[in-house]
Amino acid sequence: MPRPKGSKNKVKNLKGHSAADYAAALAEKNAEKDQLNGEISAIMAQITELKEQLKSKKAAVKSTDKAIEKLQEKLSAEQAKEAQQAHKAEIDSAVQKLITNGVSVEEILEKLQ
C-alpha cells in the first residue's frame, strides 16, 4: 500500500465551519473563563475570611494557654504549701509523742538534726 502524501500534523480545513462558528465558540469560552475567574475570586475571599478567623482563634488559644499556665502555677504553689503544712503537723505530732514519753528537749533536738 502506498504511503499517503502530506504531513499528519497538517491543519485540515473542515467544510461547513465559518468565522461565525469560531466567534461563537470563542465567546462561549470567554464566558466560561469569566465564570471561572468569578468563582476563583469568591473562593479567595472565603480563604481570606477563614485566615482572619484562624488568626483570631489562634490568639484566643494563646491567651487561654497563658491563663492555664498561671492556674497551674498557682495550683502547684498551693500544693507545695499544703505539703509543707502537713509535714510541719507531722513533726509537731512526733515531738508531742516524744515529750509525752518523757524524752528531754535536748534529745528531741538531737533527733531532729
Side-chain angles (χ1 to χ4, degrees):
M1 185 161 112
R3 198 171 72 156
K5 293 183 180 180
S7 172
K8 292 181 182 179
N9 297 328
K10 180 180 177 184
V11 177
K12 298 176 182 177
N13 289 335
L14 298 177
K15 294 181 180 179
H17 289 289
S18 65
D21 292 338
Y22 292 118
L26 183 63
E28 180 181 325
K29 291 297 178 180
N30 281 333
E32 184 179 341
K33 179 183 173 185
D34 291 340
Q35 179 186 4
L36 291 173
N37 282 334
E39 290 175 4
I40 288 172
S41 64
I43 291 171
M44 291 300 288
Q46 290 175 348
I47 289 173
T48 303
E49 181 182 333
L50 290 174
K51 282 183 181 180
E52 291 173 2
Q53 288 178 2
L54 178 64
K55 186 176 180 180
S56 66
K57 296 293 182 184
K58 282 184 177 182
V61 167
K62 189 174 182 180
S63 66
T64 305
D65 283 342
K66 285 182 181 181
I68 289 171
E69 185 177 318
K70 286 180 182 179
L71 289 173
Q72 286 177 342
E73 288 175 1
K74 288 180 181 180
L75 176 65
S76 63
E78 187 67 30
Q79 288 174 343
K81 185 178 178 182
E82 289 175 1
Q84 185 180 18
Q85 288 177 351
H87 185 67
K88 184 179 177 182
E90 184 180 320
I91 290 174
D92 288 342
S93 66
V95 169
Q96 287 296 328
K97 284 182 184 179
L98 290 174
I99 289 175
T100 56
N101 289 336
V103 179
S104 69
V105 175
E106 294 172 357
E107 291 175 348
I108 292 173
L109 290 175
E110 287 178 12
K111 289 184 179 184
L112 288 177
Q113 294 176 354

